[in-house]
Amino acid sequence: MLPMRDEHVTTLSAMESDSLALAVDVGGTKMAACLVQSDGRLIGSQTIPTADGSAEDVWQPLATLVREIAARADRPLLGVGVGTAGPLDLAGGTVSPVNIAGWREFPLARRLAEVLPGVPVRMAGDGICAAVGEHWRGAAREVDDVIVLVVSTGVGGGIIQRGRLVTGRTGNAGHIGHTVVDLGGDPCPCGGRGCVEALASGPSMVSYAVRNGWVGSSAVELADAARAGDKVANQAFERAGHAVAAGIISASALCDLTAAVIGGGVSHAADLLFPPLKRALEEHGKLGFLRDIEISTAALGSSAGLVGAGALVFEPERYPSAARLVHV
Ligand SMILES: [Zn+2]
């Protein structure tokens, strides 16, 4: 038996439980930073728009924000945890986020370590951080074998197996958005076809509906239309729910999972997404160990990534991060 959640928390040393982590969340449109307590509570979260321009143009506002947040710490900083849009090279600590043109192989982990000398930096992808956050202090906290999906502009996620984050060789394991659920299906932003993301992300649902005669431009409008009885809008959610279910069943067949937690913007349309998703789970999950996979919505909302970034610092054994860097 693995230790239960609360037993594990009490194993944090007095020094760790008295310390703070500094969490950073890097996205294509905004960046956020805050302090995190060992109980997962966020202190003084601040968000800035992601700057355009050169690598330094993007970096300087984030460096200023991180210095400001660090200056507010009234206890020792145990480390910096970073969740970032990808792709990343976790071994080298560099990031090349698709939506941040100025950062190509930008040495984010090293630059952060230079801002806070002596403080270790741990980094992971944003989907992984959201999954870790939900497992550490959110909807998946009592579950040892679970996949957390973030269904939003893209589809990301992470897998916890036997109570421990599965990172894989490069730190990208658990990328449920690019598991293939429709052979020869729609093109995916990754360059492939038929991925979960190609059917279930907000933009892919809107694109499918527009191709089939629906008039509108956002996933929120699409949800409103579906609730008002629009047939094509409902088909878009039906397809998305089926694709997410196929991804969950595939991941569960490989990793012997018992539960899935769904977060991200599309989870606000759980009333539309969950009924087809649950029907498809029953349709595909016939083997004994694939029956009764529990589905729930995420608990931490948009804070999950920051909470998870804090967890990388407080619980590196449970949530290992490929990038670990200290500037001395
Ligand atoms: Zn893909």
Side-chain angles (χ1 to χ4, degrees), residues 86-265:
L88 318 79
D89 171 2
L90 288 171
T94 65
V95 299
S96 311
V98 175
N99 295 320
I100 305 178
W103 279 5
R104 289 295 169 264
E105 297 186 8
F106 182 75
L108 180 59
R110 179 170 62 77
R111 298 299 294 271
L112 282 166
E114 286 168 1
V115 169
L116 299 168
V119 181
V121 176
R122 295 194 160 83
M123 189 165 82
D126 49 6
I128 295 247
C129 274
V132 164
E134 291 292 339
H135 185 251
W136 191 44
R137 297 291 184 245
R141 60 180 287 165
E142 303 292 341
V143 192
D144 279 342
D145 296 279
V146 57
I147 181 163
V148 180
L149 298 93
V150 183
V151 184
S152 189
T153 312
V155 178
I159 291 173
I160 308 288
Q161 195 176 34
R162 302 283 70 206
R164 198 164 183 274
L165 173 69
V166 177
T167 55
R169 179 177 54 88
T170 62
N172 290 295
H175 210 326
I176 186 72
H178 301 290
T179 50
V180 177
V181 293
D182 184 10
L183 299 180
D186 291 348
C188 181
C190 73
R193 283 185 169 278
C195 305
V196 172
E197 182 168 311
L199 288 94
S201 74
S204 68
M205 289 169 64
V206 167
S207 160
Y208 166 83
V210 167
R211 283 201 312 273
N212 287 278
W214 177 72
V215 179
S217 59
S218 75
V220 172
E221 289 171 12
L222 189 69
D224 288 342
R227 290 190 188 104
D230 184 279
K231 193 170 162 230
V232 170
N234 274 291
Q235 280 168 354
F237 279 96
E238 180 82 28
R239 250 167 57 103
H242 205 129
V244 170
I248 291 169
I249 286 289
S250 302
S252 301
L254 288 173
C255 299
D256 205 355
L257 308 175
T258 62
V261 171
I262 300 174

Side-chain angles (χ1 to χ4, degrees), residues 70-89:
R72 284 191 219 137
D74 59 357
R75 283 164 274 166
L77 270 184
L78 194 61
V80 179
V82 191
T84 172
L88 318 79
D89 171 2

